[in-house]
Amino acid sequence: MAKIGINIATGSLQQDEIIVGIDLGTTNSLVAIMHPDTRQPLALKDVMSTTGTSSRSLVPSVIYFDESGQVVVGDEAMKHLVTDPSRTIFSAKRLMGKSYKDIRDHASYYAYKIIDDDADRLVKVQVGDRFYSPVELSSFILKELKLRAEHILKTPVNKAVITVPAYFNDAQRQATRDAGKLAGLDVLRIINEPTAASLAYGIGTKTNEEDQIIAVYDLGGGTFDVSVLRIAGGVFDVLSTHGDTYLGGDDADRAIVDYWLRQAGVSKDDMEVQSNLAQSLRLAAEQAKKHLSGNDSFSMTLNGDTLQIDRATFEQLITPLVERTMQSCRQALKDAGLKPADIDTVLMVGGSTRIPLIKKTVSAFFGKPVHDTLDPDEVVALGAAVQADILAGNNREMLLLDITALSLGIETAGGLMDVLIPRNSKIPSRASRQYTTQIDGQSGMRISVYQGERDLVKDNRKLAEFNLTGIPGMPAGLPKVEIGFMINADGILTVTAKELRSGVEQQIEVQPQYGLTDEQVEQMLMDSITHARDDMSARALTEARTEGEQLLKTTERFLQKNADMLTQEELLQTASAMQVLQLSLTMTDKDLIQQKIEALNEVSRPYAERVMDEAVAHAMKGKTI
Ligand code: AMP
């Protein structure tokens, strides 16, 4: 087992700058701050009027790319959802850290083009001839939020706490950090949405309060989740989380539309043809739903027809949806090994929890009243602002835990930095990830450990390097090398490497290097923000090149085996597409490379499928199924 002992610099935060809390939501996003005078968290609104009536804190998480390459975010972008769906991106958050395989079952949900060539690669969205990663898409939203906050606060905003769902994995959290960086934000902490909701209600903000178990029920426009947390001594532990990323208020709207259609004797298929009318109906349904949260019946006229619904009917329509969320609550409790009575406090999050039936059902299930005094659309951002305030050192009662000042990771293909322990992780901390070989029969692997925030390792600080040798001969991609990082309470990093199939591990001692000064750390952070865009481009280019090279290799191998099953024309077309792709790899335009990858895939897809079918038919010959 290889071990490296390194003293990692631990950080302190400057206190004079404003730190905002950001709820980067699937449907809506918003920014909140701790009000310096009232000491209460406050969501930033367009117009900071004292009455605050006409202003809005929510920014729709929608991005529109017009033909000329201009980007608009928010309400303006929403207007294009129906008129220009292929250029209007919504729900980018659902794509964060996902491969096509992960979202395939819901592909029809997205009205824009998602690249589907390689099911295992991280998804990309195509708009015209440009390709965007979910990280870039989210960065457009964050940039808009940053600008908006700067406009309202009349001061630069460079530091933020961003929330993510409790079920987000490491890759999704890292993607969110990257999006922040790309938007010019130093992301001080990524916190769980249910943790933020608790902080907004003041739970867990004092170190001496009693331990509590909290359930956070979060039903938004398109997603649902419930989390069970244990809070002890200011530390939040997610005990379990359950939910459905395709269940929310939109389903209630759809249920109302279907009801109206049934009432009018119109079939759904007829409606789908008339997309404008369908859209008007959907908006009317949402209006009806909201109205019924405070009234017993709803009625309006649309194109001369009367649309009507009363609360009892609405509640009947949504009962199956509510039941699905309760099923998740049961599962989350079961996973945490708890009963409803074990829950001390229930918090309601998300716009759809305004529906009285939902409050009633959740309250009945847990056997206690729910906390719903804060605006359910704002509560997560408010909690992020509380966390920001704690990080700024303004909340004296809160215990500040030791954190890593810089990210720690290893070098991967193309000189990219792969972060295992992100900066600002609590100490002690551990992380591990599996890697594999790139060449058939590869017997060794060089592991280079870096510290820093830049995307290319050459811009970071190398801490150590060692070789894992003695990997038995296997085809590329088969070995599983697990790299483990552990920082102990004293900030010492231990790196381990082990090939899991064969069990080989290495014992190499590396001369430790010592920590950096505060000024050097600060400089490294500044550099990462200033160079974020260049870094992202460099990363995207490296990734596109690696993908292109791999595709060329697999195509070549395929041709060597199956050339006789292809027509002359197919062979020629393939050779030419390969040549063009090869050429594009020597250039620095990642969109061009992506287009050529697409083009080669277009050419090879039909015959690849045919060859596969023939192989299957051949194997099946003489066998009865
Ligand atoms: P979120 O994703 O948390 O912003 O939630 C937005 C969802 O909350 C949408 O489906 C809205 O239609 C829904 N919503 C907002 N206000 C109400 C209300 N008063 N009653 C019922 N649903 C609402």
Side-chain angles (χ1 to χ4, degrees):
M1 188 75 55
K3 280 186 186 230
I4 309 166
I6 296 156
N7 202 346
I8 301 304
T10 48
S12 62
L13 295 162
Q14 282 194 343
Q15 299 189 7
D16 41 14
E17 231 180 306
I18 186 145
I19 309 175
V20 298
I22 297 181
D23 172 5
L24 180 61
T26 309
T27 340
N28 292 303
S29 299
L30 70 156
V31 184
I33 56 156
M34 181 61 85
H35 196 288
D37 303 329
T38 64
R39 306 288 309 136
Q40 291 295 321
L42 172 83
L44 297 182
K45 300 207 156 104
D46 288 339
V47 195
M48 289 294 272
S49 66
T50 40
T51 54
T53 38
S54 63
S55 52
R56 263 165 60 81
S57 56
L58 300 185
V59 176
S61 306
V62 180
I63 311 142
Y64 174 65
F65 298 92
D66 77 6
E67 301 272 351
S68 70
Q70 291 274 28
V71 187
V72 283
V73 173
D75 290 310
E76 270 306 302
M78 282 277 275
K79 295 180 187 156
H80 301 277
L81 271 178
V82 180
T83 53
D84 206 353
S86 68
R87 296 187 157 271
T88 316
I89 314 301
F90 60 92
S91 285
K93 181 174 176 178
R94 286 191 229 244
L95 304 175
M96 290 290 254
K98 293 281 176 79
S99 66
Y100 187 72
K101 197 165 64 189
D102 299 325
I103 59 145
R104 189 161 38 199
D105 292 346
H106 296 278
S108 63
Y109 169 88
Y110 304 92
Y112 44 87
K113 181 161 181 199
I114 296 180
I115 302 302
D116 58 357
D117 308 333
D118 184 342
D120 291 317
R121 281 215 167 254
L122 289 180
V123 293
K124 264 185 228 108
V125 166
Q126 184 175 6
V127 180
D129 57 4
R130 303 268 303 164
F131 296 80
Y132 298 97
S133 67
V135 171
E136 285 173 282
L137 295 170
S138 297
S139 82
F140 288 118
I141 299 170
L142 289 170
K143 208 176 291 166
E144 172 70 19
L145 295 174
K146 171 175 149 73
L147 285 175
R148 199 164 169 274
E150 288 175 337
H151 179 74
I152 295 169
L153 297 169
K154 312 227 172 338
T155 174
V157 170
N158 298 313
K159 296 188 170 181
V161 169
I162 304 183
T163 60
V164 295
Y167 56 78
F168 256 28
N169 63 23
D170 198 41
Q172 293 170 303
R173 285 165 200 266
Q174 189 55 41
T176 306
R177 275 176 190 280
D178 288 345
K181 196 162 85 176
L182 197 53
L185 289 168
D186 183 2
V187 182
L188 298 182
R189 192 70 62 92
I190 294 282
I191 66 167
N192 289 325
E193 288 162 8
T195 299
S198 309
L199 290 172
Y201 276 103
I203 302 165
T205 53
K206 295 186 184 68
T207 42
N208 56 354
E209 69 191 7
E210 279 184 28
D211 296 1
Q212 282 207 53
I213 308 229
I214 314 267
V216 182
Y217 178 102
D218 183 348
L219 186 63
T223 62
F224 168 71
D225 58 86
V226 55
S227 310
V228 179
L229 311 180
R230 172 180 286 125
I231 304 172
V235 178
F236 291 75
D237 261 333
V238 179
L239 299 182
S240 66
T241 169
H242 203 270
D244 186 335
T245 44
Y246 293 87
L247 175 68
D250 300 349
D251 296 291
D253 304 346
R254 228 167 285 134
I256 298 178
V257 170
D258 291 350
Y259 167 74
W260 283 336
L261 292 180
R262 277 199 308 276
Q263 293 282 315
V266 180
S267 93
K268 257 203 256 183
D269 296 342
D270 289 346
M271 277 310 301
E272 262 149 36
V273 190
Q274 307 177 48
S275 78
N276 274 347
L277 186 56
Q279 176 69 0
S280 313
L281 266 181
R282 209 194 55 72
L283 289 176
E286 189 183 8
Q287 204 185 324
K289 173 186 74 177
K290 289 184 179 172
H291 185 79
L292 291 174
S293 287
N295 303 276
D296 284 334
S297 65
F298 172 87
S299 154
M300 73 175 274
T301 50
L302 182 73
N303 302 339
D305 292 320
T306 305
L307 298 174
Q308 245 175 330
I309 184 164
D310 58 39
R311 195 194 287 190
T313 309
F314 171 65
E315 293 190 341
Q316 234 173 14
L317 291 175
I318 61 164
T319 296
L321 303 179
V322 181
E323 185 39 41
R324 275 168 70 192
T325 69
M326 298 324 293
Q327 209 50 50
S328 284
C329 291
R330 271 178 221 117
Q331 190 60 47
L333 281 180
K334 192 166 163 224
D335 294 347
L338 298 171
K339 296 184 295 298
D342 297 327
I343 304 294
D344 298 304
T345 308
V346 184
L347 307 182
M348 299 301 262
V349 176
S352 301
T353 59
R354 292 198 181 89
I355 298 173
L357 176 68
I358 300 220
K359 288 189 200 186
K360 202 174 87 189
T361 314
V362 175
S363 165
F365 176 80
F366 289 103
K368 50 185 64 72
V370 297
H371 279 51
D372 61 354
T373 46
L374 293 175
D375 182 326
D377 283 318
E378 292 182 352
V379 55
V380 166
L382 296 178
V386 173
Q387 175 72 64
D389 191 53
I390 293 169
L391 289 178
N394 298 332
N395 190 327
R396 298 272 164 232
E397 283 193 89
M398 187 74 194
L399 175 80
L400 261 186
L401 301 164
D402 252 356
I403 52 166
T404 56
L406 294 166
S407 303
L408 294 160
I410 65 162
E411 174 176 0
T412 56
L416 294 178
M417 170 89 172
D418 199 30
V419 172
L420 274 101
I421 298 185
R423 68 177 290 246
N424 284 333
S425 297
K426 283 188 206 116
I427 291 177
S429 179
R430 73 165 68 234
S432 67
R433 201 168 294 161
Q434 286 184 11
Y435 298 87
T436 189
T437 50
Q438 283 189 305
I439 302 167
D440 289 341
Q442 188 175 330
S443 67
M445 196 184 251
R446 176 177 296 262
I447 292 132
S448 307
V449 183
Y450 284 83
Q451 179 181 41
E453 309 312 308
R454 305 284 301 272
D455 284 79
L456 299 183
V457 292
K458 72 174 175 54
D459 299 316
N460 288 331
R461 180 167 176 260
K462 188 189 260 183
L463 293 177
E465 188 167 77
F466 64 93
N467 285 310
L468 177 67
T469 54
I471 302 173
M474 282 183 256
L478 210 55
K480 283 188 186 170
V481 177
E482 185 167 271
I483 308 285
F485 274 41
M486 221 233 4
I487 311 178
N488 69 11
D490 302 321
I492 305 290
L493 172 71
T494 305
V495 178
T496 55
K498 184 177 181 182
E499 201 288 305
L500 299 178
R501 290 183 192 277
S502 58
V504 298
E505 34 183 277
Q506 212 95 7
Q507 179 89 53
I508 297 159
E509 289 294 325
V510 184
Q511 184 65 34
Q513 296 179 38
Y514 292 97
L516 299 155
T517 64
D518 281 357
E519 291 74 39
Q520 281 170 310
V521 171
E522 197 60 32
Q523 189 55 46
M524 287 173 82
L525 294 179
M526 289 291 292
D527 286 350
S528 83
I529 303 284
T530 350
H531 296 285
R533 185 139 280 280
D534 295 344
D535 275 14
M536 262 306 275
S537 317
R539 177 182 282 273
L541 179 62
T542 306
E543 283 172 356
R545 277 184 179 153
T546 311
E547 191 180 340
E549 276 159 14
Q550 269 169 5
L551 180 62
L552 284 174
K553 246 188 250 166
T554 25
T555 313
E556 230 157 72
R557 230 179 287 149
F558 183 90
L559 290 180
Q560 273 166 13
K561 265 207 213 147
N562 307 299
D564 51 343
M565 295 169 89
L566 270 53
T567 65
Q568 196 58 29
E569 196 192 345
E570 284 169 338
L571 285 171
L572 280 174
Q573 277 181 341
T574 308
S576 134
M578 285 174 77
Q579 223 169 29
V580 181
L581 172 58
Q582 186 77 58
L583 185 67
S584 76
L585 294 183
T586 61
M587 293 183 246
T588 53
D589 181 349
K590 62 126 180 135
D591 287 305
L592 182 74
I593 298 175
Q594 210 70 57
Q595 283 163 28
K596 301 309 167 201
I597 290 175
E598 282 286 281
L600 176 54
N601 273 316
E602 284 297 302
V603 173
S604 61
R605 193 175 291 129
Y607 65 69
E609 277 166 13
R610 193 181 71 222
V611 170
M612 287 284 266
D613 289 348
E614 280 173 31
V616 172
H618 186 73
M620 284 305 198
K621 219 166 168 183
K623 293 185 187 156
T624 44
I625 306 170

